Amino acid sequence: MTAPEVGPIGLGCASIGNLYREMSGADAAGTLQAAWDGGSRYFDTAPHYGLGLSERRLGRFLADRPRDGFLVSTKVGRLLVENPDYSDGDTDDEGFAVPATLKRQWDPSEAGIRRSLEESLTRLGLERADIVYLHDPDAYDLAAGIEQGLPVLEKLRSEGTVDAVGVGANSAETLLACVEAAELDYIMLSGCYTLLDQPAAHELLPACLAKGVQVINVGVYATGILAQPQVPARAHYKYAPASADIQAKAARIAGICERFGTDLPTAAVHFSLRHPAVAAVVAGASSAAQAEQNAARIQAQVPEELWTALATEELIPHGS
């Protein structure tokens, strides 16, 4: 079966699951609508995002749209189960502003993966998902994910239950192990091929090209430091305060971008699509305005000379 076409940009739906802060239902719908109006037809979600809230909100938004007009990916590996320790007022302890009535339970078994997918489809109101990823197996048990979870995903694809399968993770090493162990259609690569840092370029991306695995590149703003035209004084990089060296490198890149008539976040998006293994960028948005910004950046023109200048200054690899 031919894998679905996803590019060049999709919407990551963690924020509509109340990532870090509460978002109203109206604002979530507005964010989804802005992404749709900007051309996004690929939406990535997961049970993890708001303990199912992201999937429910995405499902409501897509309910009146033709099923062949969009692509949805969700994730398996984390079941949502009742939280016996819940007390009134408890909120989720993994960064989502939702009541902690449920908790996550790692289960890469066939029964667990089938149950997870079935429950996701119920929340989404869909009969099928286009792509299903094993979610962060290295955060729990990478060996079990590879030995148990990946064969189940391949089985689901062979049955026609899903169109395409993959793995999503924050580690290039984890994803390389999975690419080598299974016949995947996609990987979702988080924060490992950005304008600041490209650890995935050494082994993972060549392996994906060799095996025909398409890469969905996420985290392209490097958790914040590349998200604004000027590097903020208290920038974050990989979920922590950026070091002085990283801030200085980002500021140098920003200055060169300005010389060539573009800005740092626009260059970050375009750079993240340049590798031939990358099929799409998936960017999150916590408001309609951010979704509109993402669309404008992907549609902007970036001169080829910018990449030559950055490589000459040894800020990106030559040939990037």
Side-chain angles (χ1 to χ4, degrees):
M1 181 178 293
T2 303
E5 294 292 328
V6 296
I9 192 165
L11 180 70
C13 294
S15 287
I16 67 166
N18 287 5
L19 179 64
Y20 302 136
R21 64 178 181 84
E22 188 172 350
M23 177 186 284
S24 70
D27 285 346
T31 300
L32 289 161
Q33 186 64 55
W36 183 278
D37 292 344
S40 291
R41 293 297 182 271
Y42 173 37
F43 300 87
D44 176 69
T45 185
H48 174 58
Y49 301 156
L51 298 173
L53 178 61
S54 172
E55 290 179 320
R56 292 193 297 272
R57 284 176 164 173
L58 178 59
R60 286 195 292 270
F61 174 77
L62 295 172
D64 60 352
R65 288 166 170 78
R67 183 61 186 90
D68 60 357
F70 58 84
L71 297 170
V72 170
S73 60
T74 191
K75 305 182 182 77
V76 295
R78 288 177 170 105
L79 282 173
L80 300 182
V81 299
E82 293 295 325
N83 181 4
D85 299 320
Y86 174 72
S87 297
D88 260 355
D90 289 352
T91 56
D92 178 51
D93 61 1
E94 293 202 30
F96 293 88
V98 295
T101 55
L102 302 173
K103 66 178 184 177
R104 301 160 183 86
Q105 178 178 290
W106 167 244
D107 189 345
S109 69
E110 180 166 353
I113 284 176
R114 288 185 182 275
R115 175 183 161 188
S116 178
L117 178 57
E118 180 179 350
E119 292 176 352
S120 287
L121 294 178
T122 297
R123 287 187 290 266
L124 286 161
L126 299 175
E127 293 185 356
R128 75 175 198 280
D130 299 288
I131 308 169
V132 174
Y133 298 103
L134 184 64
H135 199 184
D136 292 336
D138 53 329
Y140 296 92
D141 186 336
L142 179 57
I146 290 174
E147 294 165 12
Q148 297 180 49
L150 296 187
V152 177
L153 291 185
E154 291 176 310
K155 185 176 181 180
L156 291 174
R157 182 182 56 200
S158 68
E159 294 171 353
T161 303
V162 300
D163 293 340
V165 299
V167 178
N170 298 294
S171 160
E173 292 79 11
T174 291
L175 290 168
L176 180 61
C178 293
V179 166
E180 291 175 340
E183 294 299 320
L184 304 178
D185 301 296
Y186 290 99
I187 59 167
M188 182 160 274
L189 175 67
S190 180
C192 296
Y193 190 79
T194 74
L195 188 56
L196 269 179
D197 192 21
Q198 305 86 35
H202 305 301
E203 295 184 71
L204 176 59
L205 297 186
C208 289
L209 280 177
K211 296 194 68 172
V213 178
Q214 297 189 66
V215 176
I216 309 300
N217 200 359
V218 303
V220 300
Y221 297 132
T223 69
I225 194 168
L226 302 179
Q228 300 178 40
Q230 301 299 322
V231 178
R234 296 182 179 179
H236 276 72
Y237 173 62
K238 295 188 176 181
Y239 304 103
S243 68
D245 287 347
I246 287 293
Q247 285 202 344
K249 181 177 180 181
R252 287 179 63 199
I253 294 172
I256 294 172
C257 289
E258 190 173 353
R259 275 173 32 208
F260 284 88
T262 190
D263 62 30
L264 185 60
T266 299
V269 171
H270 281 261
F271 177 84
S272 299
L273 278 165
R274 285 178 62 79
H275 195 283
V278 175
V281 162
V282 165
S286 59
S287 66
Q290 284 190 0
E292 291 166 359
Q293 276 187 330
N294 289 335
R297 287 165 182 164
I298 202 72
Q299 293 161 12
Q301 298 296 312
V302 175
E304 190 67 24
E305 293 80 7
L306 171 64
W307 314 120
T308 302
L310 290 172
T312 299
E313 295 290 326
E314 298 187 344
L315 292 167
I316 62 172
H318 287 273
S320 296

